Amino acid sequence: MPRAAKKKSVAIVGVAESDQIGKVENKSSLQHHAEAAYNALEDAGLSIKDVDGFLTAGYSSMVVAEYLGITPGYTDSTAVGGSSFIIHIAHAMAAIQAGYCEVALVTHGEAGRSRRDRPSADPAEPGQQFEVPYGFLGAPIGYSLAARRYMHEYGEDRVRQGMAEVAVATRKWALKNPKAYMKDPMTFDDYHNSRWVSWPFHLLDCCLVTDAGGAYVVTSAERARDLKKKPVWVQGAAEAHDHAILSQMPDLTFPISRETGKKALARAGMTHKDIDLAMIYDSFTYTVLASLEALGFCGRGEAPDFVANQRTAPGGSFALNTSGGGLSYTHSGMYGMFLVLEAVRQLRGECGERQLGSPKVALINGTGGYLSSTGTVVVAVD
Amino acid sequence: MTQQYNKPLPHPQGESDVYWQKAKQHELWLRRCDECGKAYFYPRDISPCCFSKRTSWMKASGRARLHTFAIAHRAPTPEFAADVPYVPAIVDLEEGPRMATNIVGIGEPTPEKLRIGMPLVVTFEDVSDTIALPKFRPA
């Protein structure tokens, strides 16, 4: 049976970044939301007047909808970190299927590099009381703690090599993406010689910090068929979280995508063999290794071997993060949105030099917080 | 020392007052669920294991083992600039729960000085008139 869309009820029909991404001084996060929304609607061939459902994270959907000048009849501010924008696909699908809306707009914008102020945290949150005083601040420290535990369980040298493979392969993809922030090749020596940020993470284990917005549009089959671009059908989705702060994570080596991967594939009626492209949130090289295992692409502790010999690089046998990822393309803060953009573009055949032949099915896996939340979605074209 | 401390301090909440009061006396106290008998961290009135209101306080032994660690070389905020490299760590307390902390008392931290599973003991750093932070050093 040919691998292609089995379910055709709801589709992603428009995707876009904001006008410029990378280092964009003097634009606020909200401006990135609006530009991306404008561009995604244009990509879909829809008007802002068609939008009757609105989903976002970072800001309340109230704030962004007002800024955009829309009055949605379905509103969703699910905010569980960078995976939120993957989970929004499922929420938009559910809302459309329930008749709550017909055209759902999902936006992200974050001036991660150039914003002028940073929000302060609620001191009553457990993390503020029980982690922050110890200098548990920022993602590199949290994720490096998890990576160190994984190294302890599965061998420091081979895990180090696996992390290097991911960094180097992802950079090769970025060099084929004109929108990528990183423009220079990376060698293994570059990786190993880059400075320590939070041991065991080198600088080149860590995602970028950029200014960027992204948006996509989800609609019903009836609307999708008349639009400009080939519909990318939602096949199956799942979401979960099992902690918020890192010290409460049940198993630092096995994130909750252990549940969402299985469920999303089952709901899609597909298996790992059906997947032509995996878009897996690469906040850090380690996030990719842990996610590949939790999603079931390989067994526990096997990810360093799975990615060996540049298997995930251009020309390799496992297509992964072909945009150049959060590691080398863009990472505004909550990068999940950009996983969706690349999956849709690959399935439509719009990726130019980095295009993978004619992929039919992509798996998108977003991770949010401190390996805390995941959303997994399988999408496919006819 | 107390005057110069400019790093983030915990803001005790109603259900964590006892924890921080005991810490100031250089004792580590945990909440225990009287439904199942398990200690848990962080303190809250209703237990996360059984969602029970039958909970109490218990004094912890202060003994732990290193679950994982990192060595922060880049200060996450300017307040930590004088501390790098420092050791964020997660420890397994003898009573079961895991908590975030720092490993101290090892001089300049290097990966060789830190072994996952190594025995640790609690030590307290007085950082303000009301707050002492429980940290851990090699036993």
Side-chain angles (χ1 to χ4, degrees):
Chain A
M1 154 165 207
R3 290 177 296 168
K6 296 178 176 180
K7 298 182 182 174
K8 297 175 188 175
S9 115
V10 167
I12 303 172
V13 295
V15 296
E17 288 103 341
S18 49
D19 294 353
Q20 296 106 29
I21 64 170
K23 187 173 184 196
V24 188
E25 287 171 358
N26 248 355
K27 275 190 188 171
S28 70
S29 298
L30 279 169
Q31 282 177 283
H32 286 287
H33 276 267
E35 290 179 1
Y38 189 100
N39 297 337
L41 287 164
E42 188 171 82
D43 185 60
L46 286 164
S47 147
I48 191 80
K49 293 189 173 59
D50 296 311
V51 174
D52 58 357
F54 184 67
L55 305 87
T56 195
Y59 295 105
S60 161
S61 52
M62 269 193 315
V63 172
V64 184
E66 176 196 273
Y67 182 89
L68 298 175
I70 58 175
T71 309
Y74 172 75
T75 186
D76 186 329
S77 302
T78 298
V80 289
S83 63
S84 303
F85 308 96
I86 316 304
I87 292 170
H88 289 154
I89 298 175
H91 292 195
M93 175 173 73
I96 291 165
Q97 288 174 339
Y100 279 34
C101 65
E102 202 176 9
V103 176
L105 172 66
V106 184
T107 68
H108 160 72
E110 204 165 349
R113 192 167 195 90
S114 305
R115 67 180 155 199
R116 294 180 178 177
D117 301 293
R118 283 173 196 278
S120 56
D122 176 353
E125 282 199 23
Q128 296 300 310
Q129 270 193 85
F130 300 108
E131 287 198 349
V132 168
Y134 299 105
F136 280 56
L137 276 158
I141 287 172
Y143 281 73
S144 63
L145 282 154
R148 179 64 190 95
R149 181 71 199 187
Y150 180 89
M151 284 179 157
H152 168 73
E153 294 190 9
Y154 300 119
E156 185 172 333
D157 291 345
R158 61 185 286 273
V159 173
R160 170 66 64 199
Q161 180 59 26
M163 286 164 36
E165 294 277 359
V166 170
V168 170
T170 309
R171 179 65 60 86
K172 289 177 186 166
W173 283 114
L175 298 182
K176 295 173 177 292
N177 183 353
K179 290 181 177 166
Y181 189 70
M182 301 309 280
K183 305 288 188 197
D184 298 322
M186 183 200 300
T187 65
F188 280 96
D189 282 346
D190 292 336
Y191 169 84
H192 290 291
N193 293 332
S194 67
R195 63 186 169 83
W196 297 119
V197 170
S198 179
W199 189 93
F201 282 166
H202 287 285
L203 177 66
L204 294 179
D205 285 303
C206 304
C207 64
L208 306 168
V209 182
T210 63
D211 306 311
Y216 61 84
V217 183
V218 184
T219 193
S220 62
E222 297 72 51
R223 295 294 289 269
R225 289 187 201 286
D226 301 330
L227 297 176
K228 269 163 70 176
K229 299 280 181 78
K230 177 158 72 175
V232 173
W233 303 105
V234 182
Q235 303 296 295
E239 65 194 73
H241 41 75
D242 65 356
H243 66 285
I245 60 177
L246 190 81
S247 56
Q248 297 298 310
M249 185 168 177
D251 180 341
L252 295 172
T253 67
F254 207 38
I256 191 66
S257 40
R258 65 185 183 270
E259 299 295 336
T260 58
K262 272 191 292 218
K263 281 184 189 163
L265 282 166
R267 288 169 182 169
M270 296 200 189
T271 69
H272 295 89
K273 289 193 172 57
D274 296 312
I275 305 301
D276 298 314
L277 165 67
M279 290 301 301
I280 294 177
Y281 197 139
D282 55 340
S283 45
F284 299 92
T285 51
Y286 169 66
T287 316
V288 175
L289 301 182
S291 300
L292 284 168
E293 294 176 12
L295 290 166
F297 283 104
C298 57
R300 296 191 69 181
E302 292 175 2
D305 303 324
F306 187 85
V307 301
N309 303 312
Q310 291 295 282
R311 185 179 179 199
T312 66
S317 62
F318 188 82
L320 173 73
N321 294 346
T322 55
S323 60
L327 291 170
S328 286
Y329 146 63
T330 208
H331 190 289
S332 48
M334 291 190 292
Y335 163 76
M337 168 59 70
F338 301 94
L339 299 168
V340 182
L341 309 193
E342 180 70 6
V344 166
R345 287 171 173 157
Q346 282 285 359
L347 296 182
R348 288 172 172 178
E350 296 176 342
C351 286
E353 204 192 330
R354 66 181 191 281
Q355 181 62 43
L356 299 165
S358 310
K360 295 288 190 191
V361 183
L363 179 144
I364 308 169
N365 187 70
T367 300
Y370 291 90
L371 293 159
S372 319
S373 66
T374 63
T376 311
V377 175
V378 179
V379 290
V381 285
D382 289 329
Chain B
M1 184 278 292
T2 301
Q3 270 68 29
Q4 287 163 2
Y5 193 85
N6 64 347
K7 286 175 280 186
L9 288 169
H11 293 255
Q13 305 296 311
E15 57 189 353
S16 62
D17 277 340
V18 169
Y19 176 85
W20 292 112
Q21 285 159 8
K22 294 291 186 185
K24 193 61 193 167
Q25 297 160 21
H26 292 196
E27 292 179 0
L28 183 65
W29 282 66
L30 298 171
R31 288 309 286 262
R32 180 176 53 207
C33 173
D34 295 326
E35 203 74 39
C36 69
K38 279 187 197 149
Y40 59 89
F41 193 89
Y42 41 89
R44 56 267 215 203
D45 285 351
I46 301 180
S47 73
C49 39
C50 302
F51 206 61
S52 171
K53 290 184 174 178
R54 291 183 51 224
T55 56
S56 52
W57 285 96
M58 61 179 284
K59 187 179 178 199
S61 71
R63 287 188 290 272
R65 287 184 182 271
L66 184 57
H67 185 75
T68 192
F69 67 96
I71 303 176
H73 288 266
R74 184 180 69 185
T77 60
E79 293 76 27
F80 285 91
D83 289 16
V84 292
Y86 67 90
V87 183
I90 297 173
V91 298
D92 292 309
L93 299 174
E94 190 173 63
E95 293 78 10
R98 239 172 241 167
M99 67 179 280
T101 188
N102 295 132
I103 305 303
V104 295
I106 59 167
E108 177 90 356
T110 61
E112 294 71 33
K113 291 180 182 170
L114 293 153
R115 187 174 46 78
I116 286 180
M118 71 193 282
L120 302 163
V121 63
V122 73
T123 178
F124 291 84
E125 185 181 337
D126 287 290
V127 295
S128 79
D129 294 341
T130 53
I131 297 291
L133 293 176
K135 298 192 171 184
F136 285 80
R137 59 176 173 77

